[in-house]
Amino acid sequence: MDEALLRGLTPSVLTVLVRRGADFAAAEDAMQDALVEALRVWPTDPPRDPKGWLVTVAWRKFLDATRADTARRRREDRVEEEPAPGPTPAVDDTLQLYFLCAHPSLTPASAVALTLRAVGGLTTRQIARAYLVPEATMAQRISRAKRTVSGVRFDRPGDVATVLRVLYLVFNEGYSGDVDLAAEAIRLTRRLAAAVDHPEAAGLLALMLLHHARRAARTASDGSLVPLAEQDRGRWDTAAIAEGVGILQAALARDRLGEFQAQAAIAALHADAPTAEETDWPQIVEWYDELARLTDSPVVRLNRAVAVGEADGPRAGLASLAALDPSLPRYTAVAAYLNERDGDLATAARLYAEAAHKAPDLAERDHLTRQAARLNARRRR
């Protein structure tokens, strides 16, 4: 069963259903039913036209649900207009569907959550983790968004900034999570940057390219995480770095600085350093200051504390960290790193072990556990 094919076809099939008259919530429900049917049927009887098969089955599922609805009489005309089976046009409607989910009637948070679920293929748990909220809270948010967008047609575009935020989160989940969507996020962001006059679209594309360029070096052959300072820079994609830097420079020249451009500037400084020791940490701190001014994000301030620790020493980094909420994700891991840099191995080992228990995924938990074990072994010598 080719799950990647199913995931890739989902946006196009959803678009066809909505264009035929299904409201978004009902179309997504019908799409999920069709996917379940595909998982049952395709392994033994694969279709010649997978997209056409999904469209046909999903539309029938929608019609079945419509006929059973109490509003059947108001929908009879639409029910009787089922198109004849046949090939469907090979049109990529994914980006258009992103704009539908970013409809002005939705709050930005709800629009992002709905798109990640319906188009990005992420689970409610993965989206909740990206937003740092309980899974039940995110499930309610997505349900409300689906109800709100019901009946919305494709002729009402959503907000570009919201679509950019969705693409950013999809890339982050694809880059570090268990669903690989990073390449698809880059493809869609490239299309969006070419279609709209928005410097943050270029900034986001540059950021994605610069991060994606380091992907091959982020994990060892056994699947363990490799920290940035320890990565083999010979494995970085220099062509992607050059493209990302060029796009970023053109965006910055427009003097309309935004969050994604600032993040891309930080990534570019890391990519520009021949070795970890040659990283321009003072300039990175300056960019984090700009980013904090633009976003007022506690996570940005947490990352800034690491940069301050590199630029001005671990004591300065710990002082910056002390001003932040200890409940922040990865706060304990940062505290462990800075304490290790400051020579307090006992505190660092304890904090690494504590951070491992809070880690959001297995790879990070294993990495932090190894750090704790490494320091404990050094202390026993």
Side-chain angles (χ1 to χ4, degrees), residues 129 132 325-333 335 350-362 364-365 368-369:
R129 189 177 67 195
L132 310 177
D325 184 353
S327 67
L328 277 172
R330 297 187 173 87
Y331 178 100
T332 309
R350 175 179 58 81
L351 290 172
Y352 274 130
E354 183 181 332
H357 288 293
K358 303 175 181 177
D361 56 63
L362 181 61
E364 187 170 337
R365 186 186 72 190
L368 293 168
T369 300

Side-chain angles (χ1 to χ4, degrees), residues 33 53 66 79-80 110 146 154 216 235 269 303 358 379:
D33 289 341
W53 189 97
T66 301
V79 169
E80 296 302 324
S110 294
K146 287 172 66 175
F154 273 84
R235 298 183 65 195
L269 286 167
N303 291 330
K358 303 175 181 177
R379 291 172 57 219

Side-chain angles (χ1 to χ4, degrees), residues 25-88:
E28 208 232 342
D29 289 342
M31 183 69 232
Q32 295 301 322
D33 289 341
L35 290 174
V36 171
E37 189 72 5
L39 290 171
R40 185 183 68 83
V41 172
W42 288 13
T44 56
D45 185 19
R48 285 180 296 178
D49 178 8
K51 179 181 175 181
W53 189 97
L54 285 171
V55 168
T56 300
V57 173
W59 184 251
R60 287 174 180 167
K61 296 288 186 182
F62 165 70
L63 294 182
D64 289 343
T66 301
R67 291 188 180 101
D69 193 88
T70 56
R72 179 181 57 82
R73 292 184 181 86
R74 294 194 303 271
R75 302 180 182 177
E76 280 182 348
D77 291 341
R78 184 170 58 191
V79 169
E80 296 302 324
E81 292 174 359
E82 178 180 0
T88 54

Side-chain angles (χ1 to χ4, degrees), residues 123-366:
T123 66
T124 303
R125 177 175 297 178
Q126 289 168 326
I127 302 168
R129 189 177 67 195
Y131 266 89
L132 310 177
V133 300
E135 185 176 352
T137 300
M138 184 53 64
Q140 292 175 353
R141 184 179 298 175
I142 293 172
S143 294
R144 286 196 300 269
K146 287 172 66 175
R147 288 195 300 268
T148 301
V149 82
S150 294
V152 171
R153 300 193 64 81
F154 273 84
D155 56 358
R156 297 186 63 191
D159 178 54
V160 173
T162 301
V163 174
L164 289 171
R165 174 64 52 186
V166 173
L167 289 167
Y168 173 69
L169 289 175
V170 169
F171 176 81
N172 282 345
E173 189 62 37
Y175 187 66
S176 60
D178 54 5
V179 177
D180 186 0
L181 295 168
E184 174 69 358
I186 291 174
R187 183 184 72 83
L188 292 173
T189 304
R190 194 184 295 279
R191 285 186 57 197
L192 183 61
V196 301
D197 180 23
H198 198 299
E200 275 292 80
L204 179 58
L205 178 58
L207 176 63
M208 289 180 176
L209 290 169
L210 289 165
H211 276 305
H212 205 58
R214 302 199 299 261
R215 187 172 188 180
R218 290 183 72 247
T219 55
S221 57
D222 62 359
S224 60
L225 293 180
V226 180
L228 177 60
E230 300 172 20
Q231 289 177 14
D232 178 1
R233 299 182 180 223
R235 298 183 65 195
W236 289 0
D237 185 341
T238 55
I241 290 173
E243 183 185 6
V245 169
I247 292 170
L248 173 64
Q249 289 174 338
L252 291 174
R254 301 179 65 181
D255 197 24
R256 292 167 58 189
L257 183 64
E259 171 188 355
F260 297 128
Q261 293 171 68
Q263 288 192 52
I266 293 169
L269 286 167
H270 283 298
D272 188 53
T275 66
E277 292 72 23
E278 296 174 86
T279 303
D280 189 347
W281 286 107
Q283 192 172 356
I284 287 177
V285 172
E286 291 180 7
W287 275 111
Y288 270 121
D289 289 338
E290 287 287 345
L291 190 54
R293 179 182 62 79
L294 289 166
T295 66
D296 195 29
S297 165
V299 175
V300 168
R301 298 186 187 281
L302 182 69
N303 291 330
R304 180 186 179 278
V306 177
V308 169
E310 299 290 352
D312 301 327
R315 293 286 175 90
L318 287 167
S320 294
L321 188 66
L324 302 177
D325 184 353
S327 67
L328 277 172
R330 297 187 173 87
Y331 178 100
T332 309
V334 170
Y337 173 75
L338 291 172
N339 274 282
E340 179 185 356
R341 287 281 316 283
D342 195 39
D344 189 348
L345 301 189
T347 299
R350 175 179 58 81
L351 290 172
Y352 274 130
E354 183 181 332
H357 288 293
K358 303 175 181 177
D361 56 63
L362 181 61
E364 187 170 337
R365 186 186 72 190
D366 289 348

Side-chain angles (χ1 to χ4, degrees), residues 98-112:
Y98 271 67
F99 273 93
L100 172 66
C101 293
H103 192 266
S105 61
L106 294 173
T107 65
S110 294
V112 171

